[in-house]
Amino acid sequence: MTNATMRDLSSHAYPDEAKVTDLDWTASIDFSSQTITAVAKLTVQHTANRVRLDVKDLVIRKILVVDGSTSTSASYSVHPLEKGKDHLGQCLEVELQSSNNGRSASASTSTSVVEIHYQTTEECSAAQWLPASQTAGKVHPYFFTQCQAIHARSLVPCQDCPGSKMTYKASVTVPSWSTCLMSALSKGSTKNDDETTTFFFDQPIPVPAYLIAVVVGELSGIDVSHRCKVWSEPSVVEAAAFEFSQTEDFLKIAEDLTFEYQWGRYDVLCLPPSFPYGGMENPCLTFVTPTLLAGDKSLADVVAHEIAHSWTGNLVTNETWAHFWLNEGWTTWLQRKIMAKIAEDKRVVDFDAIGGWEDLKESVELVSENFSRLVPDLGDDDPDEAYSSV
């Protein structure tokens, strides 16, 4: 379990005393109310008699502790918001059955299953709900999530810190006209009688909560290799598949430089223009911006960067957000190595580093002294505020 001295202050969780190891998520996406009704079943390994979770702008309906086929109502409390720290959300504290009440390293470990019934709200900071007018097709709405850095707590009750990882499974019910994708392996879908479809997913590799991702929309996919598919809206997907046709080449080079790719599939989703980043390294399903569709593959190095995260960031992750440089620094190094192999020119590494040096100097001029450090003193400040080229 996580060393208590390294606890991430941007989270209310104490993984050293109770750690979530698995999430079983059942969710229904409602475009009309722009909310998600869900059940989060959390497997918790604990030495204490409580688990503390992060929640933000969630309506908790009920909480059960599950023991085999028996469920009992759990005693729980939602702590009030801390003044001036809205980004932290609230602490959801659930009582557990345990043979001891302490936090001693020698205490025996118990396993409990906590089932939380809840609903998201319009204030969910992880969710982007786009009307049809903001999509390429102009017919159906579109939904996607962005959980990094600490927005997963507005999507699902969790330990929203990078040092706490869990496997997850999901079943997501959506309108029948839409397709649902997640940062996990697809396990098929079932059409329901009420004009909805339920999609099933499994992520067997433990991930931090910020790597949970969901997208629902009118989507089409084109295979570019046996393990890579490019997804987008139907009117955009051919252009996206052309732009990112080198994805398998990037992946093979990354494997040559490191070791075998662990995540099974590497798909790319080209989102609508409102996506706020160039790319996001969600496992099994990288999100990218349509601004990369230059028509000549000249901006495809963003995909190389996100592929690199499959090793540096997703498999090996910074324990706290103060050490985010471990995630992005090593990923940028590996990205440059990949692009040098693609170009068959080692000078690509140095050329790209020159641009990085200029970005670094500009960031140091713009950000505060604290945030210009390699390891800033974040405390319980919002990690999003500290992000820069540094």
Side-chain angles (χ1 to χ4, degrees), residues 243 246-247 249-254 257 296-308 331-353:
E243 204 73 36
Q246 294 173 293
T247 299
D249 296 333
F250 293 162
L251 203 52
K252 287 179 178 177
I253 290 171
L257 292 167
D296 59 3
K297 307 180 185 180
S298 60
L299 302 177
D301 63 330
V302 170
V303 173
H305 181 90
E306 307 310 331
I307 281 176
T331 297
T332 298
W333 173 82
L334 184 53
Q335 167 209 324
R336 290 169 179 165
K337 291 287 189 179
I338 294 170
M339 296 310 298
K341 288 279 189 178
I342 285 287
E344 298 181 342
D345 189 342
K346 293 181 179 180
R347 293 176 299 176
V348 167
V349 174
D350 294 331
F351 183 77
D352 197 59

Side-chain angles (χ1 to χ4, degrees), residues 16-17 47-48 100-108:
D16 62 303
E17 65 178 31
T47 56
N100 59 79
N101 296 325
R103 294 167 60 181
S104 169
S106 62
S108 60

Side-chain angles (χ1 to χ4, degrees), residues 250-261:
F250 293 162
L251 203 52
K252 287 179 178 177
I253 290 171
E255 287 180 313
D256 290 341
L257 292 167
T258 56
F259 50 86
E260 184 179 0
Y261 182 72

Side-chain angles (χ1 to χ4, degrees), residues 18 69 92 163 196 370 382:
S69 59
L92 170 60
T196 64
N370 180 34
D382 189 346

Side-chain angles (χ1 to χ4, degrees), residues 211-390:
L211 290 178
I212 296 174
V214 193
V215 61
V216 181
E218 185 182 14
L219 300 170
S220 295
I222 295 177
D223 288 311
V224 294
S225 79
H226 67 284
R227 56 180 172 176
C228 302
K229 178 177 283 190
V230 175
W231 294 88
S232 192
E233 293 183 72
S235 62
V236 181
V237 69
E238 288 189 9
F242 170 80
E243 204 73 36
F244 307 125
S245 60
Q246 294 173 293
T247 299
E248 178 67 27
D249 296 333
F250 293 162
L251 203 52
K252 287 179 178 177
I253 290 171
E255 287 180 313
D256 290 341
L257 292 167
T258 56
F259 50 86
E260 184 179 0
Y261 182 72
Q262 301 292 298
W263 302 89
R265 288 201 61 84
Y266 186 87
D267 292 349
V268 177
L269 171 70
C270 187
L271 284 98
S274 62
F275 180 59
Y277 299 100
M280 178 61 205
E281 64 272 17
N282 303 308
C284 306
L285 184 68
T286 281
F287 284 9
V288 296
T289 172
T291 59
L292 301 180
L293 302 181
D296 59 3
K297 307 180 185 180
S298 60
L299 302 177
D301 63 330
V302 170
V303 173
H305 181 90
E306 307 310 331
I307 281 176
H309 271 302
S310 302
W311 288 266
T312 54
N314 295 3
L315 277 181
V316 180
T317 311
N318 45 281
E319 186 171 15
T320 71
W321 289 114
H323 292 270
F324 189 50
W325 74 271
L326 289 168
N327 189 324
E328 289 299 331
W330 283 108
T331 297
T332 298
W333 173 82
L334 184 53
Q335 167 209 324
R336 290 169 179 165
K337 291 287 189 179
I338 294 170
M339 296 310 298
K341 288 279 189 178
I342 285 287
E344 298 181 342
D345 189 342
K346 293 181 179 180
R347 293 176 299 176
V348 167
V349 174
D350 294 331
F351 183 77
D352 197 59
I354 292 170
W357 176 247
E358 294 302 318
D359 288 343
L360 177 61
K361 290 193 294 184
E362 182 178 342
S363 291
V364 169
E365 291 294 326
L366 292 175
V367 302
S368 67
E369 180 180 351
N370 180 34
F371 290 164
S372 68
R373 300 170 183 167
L374 193 62
V375 182
D377 180 12
L378 282 182
D380 59 3
D381 291 338
D382 189 346
D384 284 343
E385 299 297 322
Y387 183 77
S388 72
S389 298
V390 179

